[in-house]
Amino acid sequence: MGAGTESDGSSRSDEEWERFLRESVAGAADAPKEPSARARGVAKRLRAEPGREPEGWRSYTPARPKRRTGWYVVGMLASLVLLVVALAPGWIVDLLAGDDPDAPPLAAETARPTQAPPAEAAQRPTTDEPFRGSPAAGWASGAAGITVPKAGAVGWMSAAEVERALARSRDFLVASGLDRGVLRGERPEKAIALINPHQKDVQGLLKTAFRAPSEKNDPLLLFSRFQPSRTHLVGDVVKTRGRLTYREGERGALQVTADVTFVYPVTRADAGGDDEIVRTIVRRELVLSWDDPAKVITEPGTFSIVSYTYDMTNGGCGAPTGYFTPPFGADRRADEAGTEVDPYDRSAPVGRDESSGGECRRATRS
């Protein structure tokens, strides 16, 4: 068969060959085999024409390489971040652990920490951000900061009864340290209702503490109270961090230990344009006994108090009044003679007990 003819004996025009060559692009799945002599002749003629270059067999236009700018931009941004961290670490700390109410709090405390929280950038609290510049900025608010463990059967109580007792133990902490009325100086009736009315020593304290507070019988040993004519709470949030634990106590009782730190931002009642904010920080450890009524005289739904200890800073160092008396302005110098303590450090046991009286504690940071 001749090189310039088709299998059907017919011949193609020059225009048809030119169209065929244009449609045969490089890499096409249906690319033809080696063209005939006639096809090569047409291609040669087309190439010879000025300004004409057919897109024939084995011809292609190389793809223009893309500029890879993505990794360059990422590298530049990473360098800028490192530069900001090096030059302004305090700003980064404030950004990540600021006083944003929508920011996620720290993970719940399930065991005693091994060290104090890291130091914060020195920043003054404000009415909008009263916990600014303190570890409490990352703590949970109110009852959410008190971790309650999973309940199991203990002594005379089933797992379900232990769960109820743990919930009521936390209710006592809420009623004694977070109730807005109590914080404004009201009598803590809800909290008192959870205490065994047959426990004579504690009932004796409650009988005299609110009427004639003293070092021995001071309501602040169990309850947080501020005198509204002198001190106002800033905002509606009290930051907390702590946990409940439990074990079997004497005579098969359920013994619950509560170790919780409360942070109260306050200002003077007659501040006017003065926005000085002081944080009163109280850490309490209570040991509560949910006794078997078959062995101990008690009332349903109440517990006996085995012991109570607490640390307090920025709460006043004078004679007991039944209220915290945060120092403002020049009055803060009175705290300088007190024992130094980091009020946010929960790695050591609580230092003050009911027999230590009004020993003053000076905060290393507040």
Side-chain angles (χ1 to χ4, degrees), residues 288-310:
L288 315 176
S289 181
W290 293 85
D291 299 309
D292 183 351
K295 300 177 181 179
V296 176
I297 300 175
T298 187
E299 294 296 328
T302 67
F303 56 77
S304 298
I305 298 179
V306 177
S307 65
Y308 44 89
T309 61
Y310 83 113

Side-chain angles (χ1 to χ4, degrees), residues 1-280:
M1 184 178 298
T5 61
E6 297 295 328
S7 60
D8 58 0
S10 63
S11 62
R12 298 180 183 272
S13 65
D14 289 345
E15 291 78 10
E16 290 175 322
W17 276 112
E18 182 177 349
R19 184 173 65 252
F20 170 77
L21 289 171
R22 292 183 184 283
E23 293 174 350
S24 301
V25 296
D30 57 350
K33 297 179 180 180
E34 183 74 22
S36 64
R38 175 76 177 272
R40 291 194 296 271
V42 173
K44 181 178 180 181
R45 179 176 59 78
L46 290 173
R47 285 194 298 270
E49 295 181 13
R52 295 288 300 273
E53 182 66 30
E55 299 178 26
W57 183 76
R58 291 181 181 171
S59 68
Y60 70 95
T61 301
R64 180 176 296 177
K66 297 181 180 179
R67 297 181 64 186
R68 298 185 177 182
T69 60
W71 287 111
Y72 174 78
V73 174
V74 171
M76 285 293 294
L77 291 175
S79 299
L80 287 174
V81 170
L82 292 174
L83 181 62
V84 171
V85 171
L87 296 179
W91 181 82
I92 295 295
V93 170
D94 186 47
L95 179 66
L96 297 179
D99 221 11
D100 182 0
D102 298 324
L106 294 177
E109 182 181 287
T110 57
R112 176 172 291 175
T114 58
Q115 60 185 4
E120 303 288 324
Q123 295 177 313
R124 288 188 61 187
T126 66
T127 53
D128 293 329
E129 299 180 352
F131 303 99
R132 186 170 179 253
S134 77
W139 292 6
S141 302
I146 306 172
T147 305
V148 178
K150 183 178 180 180
V154 171
W156 69 284
M157 284 187 168
S158 65
E161 290 171 326
V162 170
E163 184 177 14
R164 285 194 294 271
L166 290 172
R168 287 175 179 169
S169 298
R170 187 168 70 167
D171 288 344
F172 177 80
L173 297 173
V174 171
S176 61
L178 296 172
D179 183 273
R180 302 301 293 185
V182 175
L183 293 178
R184 289 191 294 265
E186 297 177 7
R187 185 179 173 88
E189 299 292 354
K190 292 181 181 179
I192 292 174
L194 291 170
I195 301 173
N196 181 4
H198 303 287
Q199 189 178 5
K200 293 183 178 180
D201 56 344
V202 175
Q203 291 301 321
L205 181 154
L206 298 174
K207 184 177 180 179
T208 60
F210 299 98
R211 176 172 47 85
S214 63
E215 291 185 0
K216 182 179 179 181
N217 296 314
D218 190 343
L220 299 182
L221 296 171
L222 295 172
F223 313 104
S224 293
R225 306 167 77 229
F226 295 88
Q227 193 169 18
S229 62
R230 184 184 185 279
T231 307
H232 282 177
L233 290 163
V234 178
D236 299 323
V237 174
V238 173
K239 293 288 189 175
T240 58
R241 187 154 183 84
R243 66 197 183 280
L244 302 181
T245 56
Y246 67 92
R247 66 180 183 87
E248 184 174 347
E250 295 183 3
R251 295 180 290 275
L254 170 68
Q255 183 168 296
V256 177
T257 298
D259 182 354
V260 180
T261 300
F262 303 83
V263 183
Y264 306 100
V266 295
T267 187
R268 65 174 82 234
D270 58 351
D274 182 6
D275 60 353
E276 181 185 8
I277 295 174
V278 171
R279 287 185 285 251
T280 298

